[in-house]
């Protein structure tokens, strides 16, 4: 899936079943880079979307189990940090035609 403002880069991929994977990276620099894909050579040519406060979100992750067949162990952000991150990002999001 081409990046919305950088069509030469892809930060999201979707398979035939419409399962999406998006690559994110912390945006700790200027907001000038917020809407530009960041090339990630170690991802085989894929890019990542810089996301403000991602470093806060991924601190102190928790271990849990994905409910699929006999279970798949995963590490995810803590629910409290996820909620706070959503509130922070939502308050900073610009209103535009694409939401």
């Amino acid at each position: 899936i081409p990046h919305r403002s950088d069509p030469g880069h892809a930060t999201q991929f979707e398979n035939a079943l419409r399962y999406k994977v998006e690559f994110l990276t912390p945006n700790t620099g200027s907001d000038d880079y917020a809407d530009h894909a960041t090339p990630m050579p170690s991802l085989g040519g894929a890019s990542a979307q810089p996301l403000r406060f991602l470093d806060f979100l991924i601190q102190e992750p928790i271990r849990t189990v994905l409910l699929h067949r006999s279970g798949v162990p995963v590490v995810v952000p803590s629910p409290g940090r996820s909620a706070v991150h959503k509130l922070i990002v939502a308050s900073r999001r610009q209103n535009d035609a694409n939401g």
Side-chain angles (χ1 to χ4, degrees), residues 2-26:
H3 189 268
R4 65 178 177 206
S5 67
D6 254 341
H9 298 278
T11 59
Q12 298 180 51
F13 296 87
E14 182 178 66
N15 69 7
L17 300 174
R18 300 188 52 92
Y19 180 79
K20 285 186 183 178
V21 174
E22 181 176 11
F23 291 101
L24 302 172
T25 187

Side-chain angles (χ1 to χ4, degrees), residues 51-94:
L51 182 63
R52 183 66 72 192
F53 307 112
L54 183 63
D55 49 343
F56 167 80
L57 176 64
I58 60 178
Q59 282 180 349
E60 301 172 12
I62 61 170
R63 293 180 182 274
T64 189
V65 176
L66 182 66
L67 301 177
H68 178 72
R69 295 187 182 163
S70 62
V72 179
V74 294
V75 178
V76 298
S78 71
R81 284 185 177 273
S82 294
V84 170
H85 184 264
K86 274 290 190 202
L87 290 172
I88 292 169
V89 171
S91 70
R92 295 172 53 98
R93 182 169 289 145
Q94 295 177 349

